[in-house]
Amino acid sequence: MARMYPTSPYQLLRLGPGDDLREALAREARRPGRPPLAVAMGMGSLRGARLRPAAEDAALVLEGPLELLALSGTLTRDGVHLHASVADGAGRVRGGHLLAGAPVRTTAELVLLPLEGWRAGRRMDPPTGYRELFVRRAPARR
């Protein structure tokens, strides 16, 4: 139940119960004509989450309910890079790369910044071994 509220220059996106946070943002990035996006802010509640901590290969699976304290990242047509911080009912905070498998419990409120005038994507970067962000100016429109 994603709802987009266009404002200027930011866009507000609200996700509802059951929406997968990462997958909804990836869908948003793939919309036709969509420039790359920066996730400026995100907060809400999750039923659970899958995070990949720094320098780890395995996902950390967290059972909910969880509060989404912070979300930031970049969204391109061919990939997303998102970092999240979540807190459990006892206030313990965990964070890392947000993976698929973070369903919204009640709501997620996101502020997106379209990066007009730029093209961006992800490609393999041999020094890091990951698909990393590359950016270039978009051709001028005539």
Side-chain angles (χ1 to χ4, degrees):
M1 178 199 83
R3 285 199 162 137
M4 181 63 73
Y5 300 94
T7 61
S8 184
Y10 295 95
Q11 295 179 349
L12 303 176
L13 177 65
R14 178 176 178 250
L15 303 178
D19 288 333
D20 185 279
L21 182 57
R22 189 178 195 282
E23 296 304 314
L25 287 168
R27 269 193 315 276
E28 201 54 46
R30 291 189 302 265
R31 284 187 32 212
R34 176 64 104 173
L37 297 159
V39 178
M41 186 279 301
M43 63 182 189
S45 65
L46 303 172
R47 291 183 190 157
R50 293 180 61 242
L51 303 174
R52 185 176 60 78
E56 295 294 328
D57 292 327
L60 175 63
V61 178
L62 303 173
E63 300 298 324
L66 301 169
E67 288 295 323
L68 175 64
L69 303 176
L71 180 72
S72 61
T74 54
L75 311 175
T76 64
R77 289 188 179 288
D78 61 350
V80 301
H81 185 187
L82 296 165
H83 287 199
S85 297
V86 298
D88 64 18
R92 290 180 295 257
V93 176
R94 304 299 291 267
H97 293 268
L98 181 69
L99 305 175
V104 173
R105 187 170 66 86
T106 59
T107 192
E109 299 171 7
L110 306 146
V111 178
L112 306 177
L113 175 61
L115 303 172
E116 302 287 348
W118 295 94
R119 291 210 176 155
R122 301 207 163 273
R123 62 179 169 218
M124 184 53 73
D125 181 52
T128 68
Y130 292 101
R131 291 180 42 152
E132 302 288 7
L133 182 70
F134 73 91
V135 180
R136 67 181 186 276
R137 282 249 183 232
R141 293 187 183 188
R142 295 180 186 226

